[in-house]
Amino acid sequence: MYGRGSFEQLDEILAPHRKENAPMIFLVDHFFEGKPLLGRLPVRANDKVFSADVTYEPKTTYVDELANHLKESYGKVSGIIGIGGGSTMDLAKAVSLMMNNPGSSADYQGWDLVKNPGVYKVGIPTLSGTGAEVSRTTVLTGPTKKLGMNSDFTPFDQIVLDPALTVNAPANQRFYTGMDCYIHCIESLEGTYLNEFSKSYGEKALQLCREVFLNKTCWDEESDDQLMMASYAGGMSIAYSQVGVAHAVSYGLSYLLGTKHGVGNCIVMNQIEEFYPKGVAEFKRMVEKNKIDIPEGICKGLSDEEFEKMINVSLGMKPLWENALGKDWEKIMTRDKLRALFEKL
Amino acid sequence: MYGRGSFEQLDEILAPHRKENAPMIFLVDHFFEGKPLLGRLPVRANDKVFSADVTYEPKTTYVDELANHLKESYGKVSGIIGIGGGSTMDLAKAVSLMMNNPGSSADYQGWDLVKNPGVYKVGIPTLSGTGAEVSRTTVLTGPTKKLGMNSDFTPFDQIVLDPALTVNAPANQRFYTGMDCYIHCIESLEGTYLNEFSKSYGEKALQLCREVFLNKTCWDEESDDQLMMASYAGGMSIAYSQVGVAHAVSYGLSYLLGTKHGVGNCIVMNQIEEFYPKGVAEFKRMVEKNKIDIPEGICKGLSDEEFEKMINVSLGMKPLWENALGKDWEKIMTRDKLRALFEKL
């Protein structure tokens, strides 16, 4: 469901999915604490609103804690409604899955490990760019890796894309998150995994990113509309493609330093002309045009052991490297070369 | 699911939806009678293959006959798999709905009249352009009107988009059907009902149509890939937009003369420069480039009563006219003006 004001239909959307005595659980980005959005939630009967703490990107421990709390408190729930940015989307998807799958979410970090569908889940993004609202993954930081629960059961049952919800996003955050979409597109369109489905969506998302971040002279309602569609199309594009170098490297940063995904991608994109010369040049024009600061020098003073950790996490993202550099990627992206890249960030 | 060869996964796709003693029903376009595709169907146990007679576009009587036959023969079925062009897609969707809704399909021609979800249904297009594989309607010719069963229950549960299935489509048919998509896009992008969702999809579909019908020098595998994506994107675009003059007029032709949708749209598009000057000019370039004959003079010799019938069916498509011409459309498209247009076709 897409459109300004579509959030008002949430009560109607949820109604047929309500089960007796089983609450709807609203997981709302802590950004909205004390804000009017909370008053607009269609809370009924024993429904419960939780503030999603996304100070850090979701950890498997946090997912398990939330899912276990819900199971202990309510037995069954009717559904999980995630409202927020990419972290909240991922958290909602993961908690939904963990309501119906035993063990820890860390057990399911990987591809097609999830065995059972989750409970009914709805995604309502309030920040555009990650594509988490449509993707088949939910990126989690676990005890040994930062990796998603990629599965056919992961996507939301329903998404509500109301661009009016993104109006108050801080400009820096909006840019970093929007760049997640832009970088996705560059990585997938220049990758070796691609078909016409992903190409069509990727090209459309890219065009919309260019429109809002380069061509337009000011940010208006239409920009919010367009960036929300860019995020959706970028997420759809990933169905039959893969991300590449920027994501693989940024996962390493995020694992060790807790660098958030959007800004992490930007930090890496800033330094990888070698792999995406045109894309990086255009990215830099977008940074300049939008007057955004991209942090530098964030790896200064790290120990050898810390670099090794980041390199291990990053090189573990095999499909990303293969997409970017082909079957022989290990010969191209050696540990030394990757270390040199991390040192530049 | 999109991709060359994805049809081979059909058995795996159907497996979790099979219910004991309830067959999967394959409704296959009669075009494939005696062709190798029939040997590739994953027929198991008491599954049944029906040849879908699409000599004419689906009639409500035919839908009812098929659904009643299935109910009498099997009681319950596990699912309906439609394989063919737009008519077969519509037939499969309608039969699925009529397995779980009482009365005649003619009772549900309109908007949101369908009360119950249908049985599990899968759409596998073998011709690209109509968007019927993703749309929320199923166009049927009934006793008093040509109108779809538009509802939230109408879309397929699963679609399999394998461009390899379209390789043997006759060039004329491929063009007429492809133009359905092109004309959709012109009508929706120039209409008054539109949001960023529909605009994004419509623009992408339009661009792909231009690519295959104007820019490329020969028809190749990539053309099949692209036209299949154009059809899908064009169908998605209709979610938040509407078609316009060409469709409204062509419904009249089809109701009275049985003119098939694709060629009917082309016959009308050829004569409506007044409403879509740029789109019609480009359409004519596509016709010329692809060396296609568009029939003319098909309304010659019709009686006043017959013209009245066409005018009534056409003017009944209120949302299409409003989208094309605005709230005051009745002042613009008078019965006399429409009669003059029909006479030109």
Side-chain angles (χ1 to χ4, degrees):
Chain A
M1 180 170 289
Y2 175 96
R4 290 192 164 262
S6 54
F7 182 75
E8 298 308 321
Q9 293 179 58
L10 185 56
D11 196 23
E12 193 187 330
I13 292 168
L14 299 180
H17 300 279
R18 289 184 176 279
K19 289 170 190 155
E20 218 180 316
N21 295 324
M24 285 290 176
I25 305 298
F26 298 89
L27 265 180
V28 186
D29 202 314
H30 66 174
F31 174 79
F32 292 101
E33 270 174 31
K35 301 230 166 93
L37 185 72
L38 293 185
R40 294 167 60 202
L41 300 176
V43 177
R44 293 185 170 269
N46 60 343
D47 288 359
K48 183 88 185 165
V49 181
F50 285 88
S51 181
D53 182 355
V54 289
T55 313
Y56 304 101
E57 292 183 340
K59 294 189 163 70
T60 52
T61 47
Y62 187 40
V63 169
D64 295 348
E65 187 190 310
L66 269 169
N68 289 333
H69 173 73
L70 292 176
K71 285 186 223 174
E72 282 159 23
S73 307
Y74 308 101
K76 295 207 165 171
V77 305
S78 289
I80 309 279
I81 300 102
I83 303 175
S87 290
T88 309
M89 296 293 100
D90 279 350
L91 191 63
K93 292 194 279 187
V95 171
S96 157
L97 291 172
M98 292 315 296
M99 293 303 290
N100 288 344
N101 285 280
S104 161
S105 51
D107 304 337
Y108 304 104
Q109 286 182 284
W111 280 269
D112 299 307
L113 303 173
V114 179
K115 294 285 173 287
N116 307 311
V119 298
Y120 175 71
K121 53 189 178 301
V122 180
I124 308 180
T126 62
L127 195 61
S128 298
T130 66
E133 61 276 21
V134 285
S135 72
R136 80 187 280 282
T137 191
T138 158
V139 183
L140 302 176
T141 304
T144 59
K145 51 197 164 194
K146 182 181 177 192
L147 185 59
M149 297 164 79
N150 294 267
S151 86
D152 285 347
F153 301 122
T154 307
F156 286 110
D157 297 292
Q158 173 79 50
I159 58 177
V160 179
L161 305 179
D162 184 342
L165 299 178
T166 66
V167 70
N168 294 319
N172 259 10
Q173 186 61 52
R174 184 172 70 197
F175 182 85
Y176 296 146
T177 310
M179 283 303 104
D180 189 13
C181 178
Y182 175 79
I183 295 168
H184 272 158
C185 293
I186 298 295
E187 290 175 309
S188 66
L189 292 171
E190 300 201 1
T192 58
Y193 297 0
L194 194 67
N195 68 7
E196 191 58 44
F197 181 96
S198 286
K199 189 161 166 262
S200 300
Y201 275 113
E203 287 174 346
K204 177 42 87 175
L206 191 58
Q207 183 228 318
L208 288 165
C209 287
R210 285 177 176 147
E211 188 61 22
V212 299
F213 290 118
L214 269 186
N215 300 346
K216 295 181 72 157
T217 50
C218 68
W219 196 274
D220 56 13
E221 284 200 352
E222 190 193 43
S223 310
D224 284 324
D225 294 355
Q226 291 176 323
L227 189 57
M228 188 160 264
M229 272 311 293
S231 178
Y232 165 84
M236 291 293 281
S237 165
I238 295 301
Y240 290 109
S241 66
Q242 247 310 350
V243 288
V245 177
H247 276 74
V249 177
S250 126
Y251 270 44
L253 287 183
S254 165
Y255 185 79
L256 187 81
L257 305 174
T259 315
K260 288 202 166 192
H261 189 66
V263 67
N265 280 342
C266 289
I267 292 168
V268 181
M269 192 68 176
N270 220 10
Q271 305 292 349
I272 52 174
E273 294 89 342
E274 181 185 347
F275 303 104
Y276 307 110
K278 282 187 199 165
V280 172
E282 189 171 57
F283 165 78
K284 289 185 173 177
R285 286 201 302 279
M286 290 177 174
V287 171
E288 200 189 334
K289 166 102 198 293
N290 292 273
K291 303 184 177 62
I292 302 291
D293 287 322
I294 306 295
E296 292 183 31
I298 65 163
C299 292
K300 265 192 192 137
L302 294 181
S303 68
D304 283 348
E305 198 193 343
E306 287 171 318
F307 276 111
E308 286 302 297
K309 254 191 204 166
M310 291 199 293
I311 291 168
N312 289 342
V313 168
S314 176
L315 292 180
M317 313 301 290
K318 296 181 197 299
L320 282 64
W321 290 110
E322 188 179 305
N323 176 49
L325 307 176
K327 297 256 175 227
D328 286 338
W329 66 268
E330 284 171 299
K331 288 181 196 150
I332 303 166
M333 186 46 78
T334 59
R335 296 184 75 87
D336 285 351
K337 192 170 169 80
L338 185 52
R339 165 81 185 241
L341 174 52
F342 272 118
E343 285 179 357
K344 273 167 71 181
L345 301 180
Chain B
M1 183 170 288
Y2 176 96
R4 292 193 162 261
S6 55
F7 182 75
E8 299 307 321
Q9 294 179 57
L10 186 55
D11 196 24
E12 193 187 330
I13 291 168
L14 299 180
H17 301 279
R18 290 184 175 280
K19 289 169 190 156
E20 217 180 317
N21 295 323
M24 285 290 176
I25 305 297
F26 298 89
L27 265 180
V28 186
D29 202 314
H30 65 175
F31 174 80
F32 292 101
E33 271 175 30
K35 301 228 166 94
L37 184 71
L38 293 186
R40 294 168 60 202
L41 300 175
V43 176
R44 295 184 169 269
N46 61 343
D47 287 358
K48 182 86 185 168
V49 181
F50 285 87
S51 181
D53 182 353
V54 290
T55 313
Y56 304 101
E57 291 182 341
K59 293 187 165 68
T60 52
T61 47
Y62 187 39
V63 170
D64 296 347
E65 187 190 310
L66 268 169
N68 289 332
H69 173 74
L70 292 177
K71 285 185 219 172
E72 283 159 22
S73 307
Y74 309 101
K76 296 209 164 167
V77 304
S78 289
I80 309 279
I81 299 102
I83 304 175
S87 290
T88 309
M89 295 294 100
D90 280 350
L91 192 63
K93 290 194 279 187
V95 170
S96 156
L97 292 173
M98 292 313 297
M99 295 302 291
N100 288 344
N101 285 281
S104 161
S105 51
D107 304 338
Y108 304 103
Q109 286 182 282
W111 280 269
D112 299 308
L113 302 173
V114 180
K115 294 286 174 285
N116 307 310
V119 298
Y120 175 72
K121 52 188 180 301
V122 181
I124 309 180
T126 61
L127 195 59
S128 298
T130 66
E133 62 276 20
V134 285
S135 72
R136 80 188 279 281
T137 190
T138 156
V139 184
L140 302 176
T141 304
T144 60
K145 51 196 163 193
K146 182 180 178 191
L147 185 58
M149 297 164 76
N150 294 268
S151 86
D152 285 347
F153 301 124
T154 307
F156 285 111
D157 298 292
Q158 172 80 48
I159 58 176
V160 179
L161 305 178
D162 184 343
L165 298 178
T166 66
V167 69
N168 294 319
N172 259 10
Q173 185 61 54
R174 185 173 68 197
F175 183 84
Y176 295 146
T177 309
M179 282 303 104
D180 189 14
C181 177
Y182 175 78
I183 295 169
H184 272 159
C185 293
I186 297 295
E187 290 175 309
S188 67
L189 291 171
E190 300 201 1
T192 59
Y193 298 0
L194 194 67
N195 67 6
E196 192 58 43
F197 182 96
S198 286
K199 189 160 166 263
S200 300
Y201 275 113
E203 287 174 347
K204 178 41 89 175
L206 192 59
Q207 183 228 318
L208 289 165
C209 286
R210 285 177 177 147
E211 188 62 22
V212 299
F213 290 119
L214 270 185
N215 300 347
K216 294 180 73 158
T217 51
C218 68
W219 196 274
D220 55 14
E221 283 200 353
E222 189 193 44
S223 310
D224 285 324
D225 293 354
Q226 290 176 323
L227 190 56
M228 188 160 263
M229 272 311 293
S231 178
Y232 165 84
M236 291 292 282
S237 165
I238 296 300
Y240 289 109
S241 67
Q242 247 310 351
V243 288
V245 178
H247 276 76
V249 177
S250 125
Y251 271 44
L253 287 183
S254 164
Y255 184 78
L256 187 82
L257 305 174
T259 315
K260 288 202 166 193
H261 189 66
V263 67
N265 280 342
C266 289
I267 291 169
V268 181
M269 192 68 175
N270 219 11
Q271 305 290 349
I272 52 174
E273 294 89 343
E274 182 185 346
F275 303 103
Y276 307 110
K278 282 188 198 164
V280 172
E282 188 172 59
F283 165 78
K284 288 184 174 178
R285 287 202 300 280
M286 290 177 174
V287 170
E288 200 189 333
K289 165 103 200 289
N290 293 273
K291 302 185 179 63
I292 302 292
D293 287 323
I294 306 295
E296 291 183 30
I298 65 163
C299 292
K300 263 192 194 137
L302 293 182
S303 68
D304 284 348
E305 198 193 343
E306 287 172 319
F307 276 111
E308 287 302 297
K309 252 190 204 166
M310 291 197 296
I311 291 168
N312 289 340
V313 168
S314 176
L315 291 181
M317 313 300 291
K318 296 181 197 301
L320 282 65
W321 290 110
E322 187 178 305
N323 176 49
L325 307 176
K327 296 256 175 225
D328 286 338
W329 66 269
E330 283 170 299
K331 289 182 196 151
I332 302 166
M333 185 46 77
T334 60
R335 296 184 76 87
D336 285 351
K337 194 170 167 82
L338 185 52
R339 166 80 184 242
L341 173 53
F342 272 118
E343 284 179 357
K344 273 167 71 182
L345 301 180

